[in-house]
Amino acid sequence: MHPCIGNRRRVRMSSLPGNQSSVNASVFASAEPLIETREFRIGGMDCAECARHVNRALVDVEGVESVQVLLTAEKAIVQLNPAVTAVDMLRQAVARAGYTLSSPDAEPDVHAEHDTAGFGQFSRRVASLLALVFGGVLLIVIAGEWLGLFEQLTQRVPFWLGAILVIISGWPILRNVGRAALNRQITAHTLMTVGMLAALVVGEWTTAAVVVFFMRMGDYAENFTAQSSRRAVKDLMAMAPQVARVERDGHVEELAIGQVVPGDTVIVRPGEKIPIDGIVLAGTATVDQAAITGESMPVEIAIGDQVFAATLARLGSLRIQTERTGADTTFGRVVRMVEEAEAHRAQVQRIADKVSSYYLPVVIAIALLTFAISRDSLATAAVLLVACSCSFALATPIALLASVGAGAKQGLLIKGGKYLESLARADVLLIDKTGTLTWGKPELTDVIALNGGSDMDLLRVAASVERDSEHPLAEAVREAARARGLALGVPEMFVAVPGMGVRAQVDGVQIAVGNSRLIRAAENLPLAAELEQAGKTLLFVARNDELMGILAATDTMRAEVPRALARVRKLGISQIELLTGDNQTTAATLAARLGISYRSQLLPEDKIAVVKEYQAAGHTVVMVGDGVNDAPALAQADIGMAMGAAGTDIALESAHIAIMRNDWTLVPHALHIAQRTMGVVRMNLGFTVVYNLVGLSLAAFGFLPPIAAAAAQSLPDLGILANSARLLRAKPSNAEEF
């Protein structure tokens, strides 16, 4: 997995004179304890109930502040006080719950693993095989008996022999239920075990055997689902190469990824996977970036381009300067976010878990009431057998995990179920302009010097000021200056004014480049109004507060945006608004082309205020931005979606959904996934409630014999798994609509 996260709170004490020892003591007494966040591997978890047991076991350990147990990733994220909590305390607590705990960075002890787990695993397999064969044969016999083919055959088997076979076949389940009972815990198998024992007490060993058979079948189904989810994560992790070819001091050697450091030069040959994130120093290649962006079409990479770990250089070789390695790469962070997505649980999932915790006591109460009224032990056993609490636990997480996994394959990084739930009920879409609706690569179209100045001097001065700016318009100015061969000056006293522009000193003169809010002399300029009416974005240049001239640029809108917005409206979002720092005329021109409303000349804090305004009115807000200057608004929105987030640290951190490639069709596709997922969840929960109500009623009134009840309890799980599996086959909207 990944090394431990070093999230810590520290208190540092400086030396104090001896006469201040009492003060020192009081400071130490009030000092906040050091808290570490650690990750551990958890072995033996097969179902959601297992994850809850591990969670309870760890939470009860002294010094543990919080716990997140991730079933799919087979790990626990624990916040603890290392001065109080030792790893052995955690290991013992997990062992008492029936599972194993180890450090993610520890080397596995193959021999110890074989010695301690080999026989147990072998015995479980033997018991499982016996249960399946025994149960299968028994079902055939019982069916034949109902058809009159095997009269009195089961009666010829001694009860004691049947009971022994039942106990052996069901021993792994009996052991886990007993261990949970000693820890004052009720599991999903508790009811079935009680029903099985009740069947033995009333002499129905055949019914008890059928119960064991279906319990083991249910275990296999849920374990298969869990293993499928884990396999998806492990397959994802396996895509990253573990060895890199590094050039140091003129020599090329193969090193483990852990030995590669930022600044190293990595050599990638044709047909090899890129092992690190970095910048191309030399060479060209056709690179398949599907592992990061989900895009099947390869891209051409040349000197100066950024490349990502786990992508494939199909044609050509590259020399790459390393920027990030291992878990710090974009791919490593994607893997971690997919692993931890289940930690962000939807509200509907928390409700289902709460219902599940109350459901078991309610069923036991119904069984006792049935026996008290009817004195029918078979009906009482049937009530216990037909109740299926697993389906409540499975109804939500399986569907959410399926959608998160399917989205990741298509270039949508969804950070958890709660964001899918919020996205499904979203009714407002707010959109940034530069880098979101447009490509974020504007081109300079006009250089207009005023007051008798020179166009070339105007461009040279503006490009010198913008020399260190990261804004897309600054790059357009620099590119235009490079194309004309202009020699740039070195800016001094550079100051960026958010949402307005920049100021700097060039050749000893104060220069400002920005919009009309920064340069007041540009207000109400007729020439500027004409350029804005043409949909161009303007930069005004001033020397010592005197207007030098105007630079005009255009940024091409993404071709798929109009169709994508039409799809968004069909999915139920009618309020769509453009939020931009551009002037009103430019914003109005673009908004009119798209048929949406707009707000112009906004600062970053103004965008946050707009999001809060809609939220205060009771709306669920989706904000789509490029993740750079929009990061605060993305974080404030109910759902922040970052466009083209691959390789952008702030976008991956601030957004709730990262769109890994520059494709607007993924915005409506994300909405489609969310709405479809919550529809499946509601269907799962509705089916579970109705099925259990009908089953409990039939059993309590004696219409459902124990054997039929035992068979019936496994059907909801299979139905939920099959229904949720449909989400794995979701196709991108552009394949269906565009």
Side-chain angles (χ1 to χ4, degrees), residues 382-724:
V383 168
L384 296 173
L385 292 171
V386 78
C388 183
S389 62
C390 291
S391 53
F392 283 106
L394 285 173
T396 302
I398 294 297
L400 296 177
L401 287 175
S403 291
V404 169
K409 292 179 181 179
Q410 297 160 5
L412 280 172
L413 184 56
I414 303 167
K415 291 189 178 179
K418 71 177 183 181
Y419 304 120
L420 277 174
E421 185 178 32
S422 296
L423 185 60
R425 63 171 184 268
D427 56 354
V428 172
L429 176 64
L430 305 178
I431 311 170
D432 172 56
K433 173 181 171 284
T434 304
T436 305
L437 283 179
T438 63
W439 283 105
K441 296 180 180 178
E443 295 181 357
L444 208 63
T445 58
D446 300 271
V447 179
I448 305 172
L450 302 175
N451 301 321
S454 162
D455 290 352
M456 292 301 99
D457 183 51
L458 172 68
L459 181 58
R460 185 192 69 83
V461 168
S464 298
V465 173
E466 298 279 20
R467 185 170 186 162
D468 299 323
S469 175
E470 297 180 352
H471 196 280
L473 286 174
E475 176 59 30
V477 174
R478 292 194 297 268
E479 181 60 33
R482 280 195 295 267
R484 291 165 174 79
L486 300 178
L488 304 185
V490 178
E492 299 175 349
M493 303 173 60
F494 179 89
V495 177
V497 185
M500 296 185 186
V502 294
R503 297 179 185 274
Q505 187 172 293
V506 177
D507 301 331
V509 180
Q510 292 293 330
I511 304 294
V513 180
N515 56 33
S516 59
R517 285 177 296 168
L518 181 68
I519 301 173
R520 295 296 182 183
E523 291 181 345
N524 302 318
L525 198 63
L527 177 59
E530 292 178 14
L531 293 170
E532 289 174 348
Q533 197 67 41
K536 297 182 179 182
T537 300
L538 305 186
L539 288 176
F540 300 98
V541 184
R543 177 192 290 128
N544 293 330
D545 296 327
E546 181 182 350
L547 188 62
M548 290 182 64
I550 305 172
L551 305 178
T554 58
D555 191 2
T556 306
M557 186 176 68
R558 301 174 193 267
E560 75 276 14
V561 168
R563 293 172 293 162
L565 290 181
R567 173 68 173 154
V568 167
R569 292 187 181 93
K570 289 181 180 179
L571 290 169
I573 296 185
S574 56
Q575 180 58 38
I576 304 175
E577 188 163 9
L578 171 66
L579 306 182
T580 179
D582 276 349
N583 61 78
Q584 182 175 356
T585 305
T586 301
T589 301
L590 180 59
R593 288 178 60 187
L594 297 173
I596 61 178
S597 58
Y598 71 93
R599 301 193 199 192
S600 60
Q601 297 182 308
L602 298 181
L603 300 175
E605 54 266 34
D606 295 329
K607 295 180 181 180
I608 297 176
V610 174
V611 174
K612 289 181 177 179
E613 175 188 321
Y614 277 109
Q615 290 173 330
H619 296 283
T620 301
V621 179
V622 179
M623 174 74 191
V624 182
D626 61 3
V628 182
N629 59 344
D630 305 306
L634 292 176
Q636 176 63 42
D638 297 283
I639 297 295
M641 301 177 70
M643 178 70 65
T648 309
D649 292 347
I650 192 168
L652 288 173
E653 293 297 333
S654 60
H656 307 118
I657 297 177
I659 301 174
M660 302 303 286
R661 65 176 186 265
N662 287 301
D663 185 354
W664 245 87
T665 62
L666 289 176
V667 174
H669 183 52
L671 284 164
H672 173 69
I673 286 178
Q675 293 177 4
R676 190 177 180 208
T677 300
M678 297 316 298
V680 168
V681 168
R682 286 190 291 270
M683 191 181 300
N684 286 347
L685 289 173
F687 170 71
T688 297
V689 170
V690 172
Y691 190 93
N692 280 277
L693 284 176
V694 171
L696 287 172
S697 300
L698 292 175
F701 287 103
F703 295 112
L704 196 66
I707 286 182
Q713 68 84 31
S714 64
L715 295 180
D717 289 0
L718 299 176
I720 286 171
L721 293 174
N723 191 40
S724 300

Side-chain angles (χ1 to χ4, degrees), residues 6-199:
N7 228 359
R8 305 182 179 184
R9 295 203 300 267
R10 296 184 180 273
V11 178
R12 297 186 180 273
M13 303 301 300
S14 57
S15 300
L16 294 175
N19 60 358
Q20 294 185 14
S21 59
S22 61
V23 176
N24 191 13
S26 65
V27 171
F28 269 105
S30 61
E32 191 176 353
L34 179 148
I35 300 298
E36 290 185 358
T37 299
R38 301 282 304 276
E39 290 185 8
F40 300 97
R41 288 190 183 127
I42 304 296
M45 295 191 300
D46 294 325
C47 61
E49 195 72 39
C50 299
R52 283 197 287 272
H53 290 166
V54 173
N55 190 293
R56 294 190 196 107
L58 290 173
V59 165
D60 290 339
V61 176
E62 184 181 3
V64 172
E65 298 222 342
S66 68
V67 177
Q68 288 181 342
V69 179
L70 308 178
L71 172 63
T72 303
E74 296 180 283
K75 71 179 181 181
I77 303 173
V78 184
Q79 285 191 330
L80 53 83
N81 181 351
V84 178
T85 309
V87 174
D88 282 343
M89 296 167 60
L90 302 176
R91 187 176 291 112
Q92 291 169 11
V94 171
R96 286 194 296 270
Y99 308 92
T100 61
L101 177 145
S102 61
S103 298
D105 50 353
E107 290 294 331
D109 187 340
V110 178
H111 299 291
E113 205 171 291
H114 174 76
D115 293 340
T116 58
F119 179 75
Q121 186 176 13
F122 175 75
S123 62
R124 284 195 296 273
R125 287 179 177 175
V126 170
S128 298
L129 181 61
L130 180 60
L132 293 176
V133 173
F134 180 47
V137 171
L138 190 62
L139 284 176
I140 294 173
V141 171
I142 292 171
E145 199 172 274
W146 284 345
L147 296 173
L149 302 178
F150 301 107
E151 292 289 342
Q152 299 180 343
L153 181 58
T154 54
Q155 280 76 11
R156 296 179 183 179
V157 178
F159 174 79
W160 62 269
L161 178 59
I164 290 175
L165 289 172
V166 168
I167 297 299
I168 293 175
S169 301
W171 175 247
I173 293 174
L174 292 171
R175 183 189 58 197
N176 290 338
V177 170
R179 185 183 287 137
L182 292 176
N183 289 314
R184 294 176 295 178
Q185 297 173 351
I186 297 177
T187 74
H189 283 148
T190 299
L191 279 178
M192 296 292 292
T193 302
V194 172
M196 179 186 70
L197 295 176

Side-chain angles (χ1 to χ4, degrees), residues 229-245:
S229 300
R230 289 173 186 157
R231 194 177 303 115
V233 174
K234 290 176 180 176
D235 289 347
L236 192 64
M237 294 177 65
M239 295 173 68
Q242 300 303 308
V243 176
R245 190 178 292 105

